[in-house]
């Protein structure tokens, strides 16, 4: 996680990069992964993971606040841009180049003359862009050799990036303007991009750490000067795990139950399955789903009172 934030921060510090996608990916990916890590911590600690630190300390054990960590990290998936909204925002940024060159072609409100002009413009763009999707350095065995044992992973990132771009191009052709409603597809697309970005960040950081040039090292390569070669081992393991996730996500782009799920969700909202709820006890305190809000000087105090 730190490697992803580190790379995004370095790109921002350069002050010549548009890092909207990288910054958003760092927020989304870290929020999701941190929750998984905290959940694993609770599980690994078993009953002690579920107990509060105070309860553990009262029993004379070390007060590890695992359950509090899980609760506190959980909010990152909701505030400062919920994960669902981050997926939509990043997907929009990712397909923005296509919408700006080809958006008029698929917009039903655009006139025929404007559509023709847009088609000519898009033709020029895609004549240059499409050949870049076919092959690149990821196909050449010696590419990224300066990264040593991690070079294979960077070649994979390069190949997978082009495969992702081809998938987006195919999806845009298949669904045209309806692509923006395919949240399942867009979500997987963003998750693939997030994994590839994380792999790149981890390789860059491990390479710097292994050569004594990491952000926390003085470069002497002496004892205590950072993680050294073990950083390469960790990065290699991370990338191998990440590749498995990427392959599953690619598979899910075209093999999923999204369309059925949408139909099912509509049926749920239409009340087709209320019989399933029969006999289930509702633990909530009665009240409206959303309270009427009254803006005023005291409303912020109310919010703070409710969430503390
Ligand atoms: C502890 C805490 C502190 C907070 N502090 C602040 C603060 O300091 N300042 C501030 O402004 N706000 C603050 N908030 C509010 C926070 O920003 C909102 O809770 C957050 O933006 C989500 O909005 P919501 O709660 O209205 O959920 P909703 O917008 O109702 O969303 C409910 C669920 O639906 C999903 N969803 C919504 N729209 C879509 C969509 N189009 N497609 C798919 N899924 C969707 C969401 O991701 C979420 O999972 C705080 C909240 C908490 C709990």
């Amino acid at each position: 996680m730190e490697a992803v934030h580190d790379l995004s921060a370095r790109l921002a510090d350069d002050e010549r990069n548009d890092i909207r996608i990288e910054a958003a990916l760092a927020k989304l990916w870290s929020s999701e992964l941190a929750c998984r890590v905290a959940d694993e911590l609770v599980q690994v600690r078993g009953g002690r993971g579920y107990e509060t630190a105070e309860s553990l300390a009262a029993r004379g054990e070390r007060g590890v606040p695992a359950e509090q960590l899980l609760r506190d990290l959980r909010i990152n998936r909701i505030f400062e841009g919920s994960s669902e909204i981050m997926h939509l925002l990043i997907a929009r940024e990712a397909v923005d180049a296509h919408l700006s060159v080809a958006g008029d072609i698929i917009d039903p409100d655009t006139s025929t003359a404007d559509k023709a002009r847009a088609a000519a413009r898009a033709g020029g763009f895609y004549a240059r862009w499409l050949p870049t999707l076919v092959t690149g350095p990821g196909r050449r065995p010696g590419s990224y050799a300066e990264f040593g044992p991690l070079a294979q992973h960077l070649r994979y990132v390069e190949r997978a990036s082009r495969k992702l771009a081809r998938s987006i191009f195919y999806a845009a052709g298949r669904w045209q303007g309806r692509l923006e409603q395919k949240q399942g597809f867009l979500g997987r697309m963003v998750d693939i991009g997030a994994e590839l970005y994380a792999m790149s960040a981890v390789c860059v950081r491990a390479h710097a750490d292994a050569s004594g040039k990491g952000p926390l090292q003085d470069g002497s390569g002496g004892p205590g000067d950072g993680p050294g070669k073990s950083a390469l081992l960790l990065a290699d393991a991370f990338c191998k795990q990440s590749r498995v996730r990427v392959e599953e996500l690619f598979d899910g782009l075209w093999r999923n139950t999204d369309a059925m799920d949408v139909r099912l969700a509509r049926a749920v909202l239409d009340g087709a399955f209320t019989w399933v709820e029969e006999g289930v006890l509702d633990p909530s305190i009665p009240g409206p789903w959303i309270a009427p809000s009254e803006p005023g000087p005291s409303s912020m105090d109310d919010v703070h009172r409710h969430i503390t």
Side-chain angles (χ1 to χ4, degrees):
M1 273 178 278
E2 200 213 321
V4 171
H5 287 278
D6 187 36
L7 181 60
S8 303
R10 279 164 187 254
L11 289 169
D13 287 349
D14 270 356
E15 290 185 0
R16 59 191 166 88
N17 306 305
D18 179 350
I19 61 141
R20 274 174 297 182
I21 291 186
E22 287 79 0
L25 284 176
K27 194 276 172 187
L28 168 67
W29 188 82
S30 307
S31 302
E32 291 292 318
L33 187 66
C35 268
R36 286 217 301 273
V37 171
D39 190 53
E40 288 288 328
L41 172 65
V42 169
Q43 189 69 17
V44 165
R45 287 187 51 79
R48 287 179 176 80
Y50 185 77
E51 262 184 283
T52 62
E54 291 74 21
S55 164
L56 290 161
R59 292 198 296 103
E61 291 193 7
R62 185 174 176 143
V64 180
E67 56 79 38
Q68 184 176 355
L69 204 64
L70 179 60
R71 274 189 288 129
D72 289 351
L73 286 169
R74 186 64 180 78
I75 189 58
N76 287 317
R77 295 178 57 205
I78 295 172
F79 70 5
E80 303 291 338
S82 72
S83 289
E84 288 74 20
I85 297 300
M86 297 306 282
H87 275 109
L88 292 180
L89 183 130
I90 296 165
R92 173 78 204 192
E93 288 289 333
V95 298
D96 203 36
H98 300 283
L99 289 178
S100 57
V101 290
D104 280 350
I105 305 173
I106 54 181
D107 184 349
D109 296 333
T110 306
S111 70
T112 312
D114 284 343
K115 272 189 200 294
R117 268 192 290 276
R121 216 172 41 239
F125 171 80
Y126 287 114
R128 286 189 303 278
W129 185 71
L130 280 172
T132 67
L133 301 190
V134 181
T135 192
R139 291 245 163 257
R140 284 195 294 277
S143 299
Y144 310 114
E146 64 274 28
F147 285 88
L150 302 178
Q152 53 165 326
H153 299 307
L154 290 171
R155 289 195 293 272
Y156 174 84
V157 168
E158 201 275 341
R159 290 196 303 275
S161 303
R162 275 186 288 104
K163 183 175 171 184
L164 182 60
R166 288 196 299 272
S167 305
I168 297 171
F169 182 71
Y170 175 73
R174 177 173 170 180
W175 290 312
Q176 304 200 347
R178 283 180 296 127
L179 175 59
E180 66 180 13
Q181 292 159 14
K182 305 286 179 190
Q183 281 199 22
F185 180 91
L186 295 175
R188 290 180 198 101
M189 188 189 96
V190 169
D191 287 339
I192 293 171
E195 290 288 348
L196 298 179
Y197 181 54
M199 282 174 74
S200 312
V202 164
C203 289
V204 168
R205 175 63 182 270
H207 178 60
D209 283 343
S211 24
K213 294 177 191 152
L216 304 176
Q217 295 163 302
D218 63 16
S220 66
D225 185 30
K229 298 266 180 285
S230 66
L232 296 179
L233 283 177
L234 260 188
D236 182 57
F238 171 81
C239 288
K240 283 175 176 152
Q241 292 164 354
S242 186
R243 283 165 77 151
V244 171
R245 291 192 290 270
V246 169
E247 292 305 314
E248 281 170 4
L249 286 161
F250 267 123
D251 193 37
L253 285 181
W254 308 111
R255 206 152 57 93
N256 56 62
T257 57
D258 290 356
M260 184 195 74
D261 296 344
V262 169
R263 285 195 300 276
L264 201 59
R266 287 207 182 105
V268 169
L269 292 176
D270 288 344
F273 304 108
T274 45
W275 54 270
V276 180
E277 297 167 16
E278 275 168 28
V280 176
L281 296 179
D282 181 354
S284 47
I285 301 165
W289 286 105
I290 297 176
S293 67
E294 285 175 27
S298 63
S299 60
M300 244 4 245
D301 295 341
D302 285 347
V303 169
H304 286 134
R305 197 171 58 237
H306 285 310
I307 61 181
T308 48

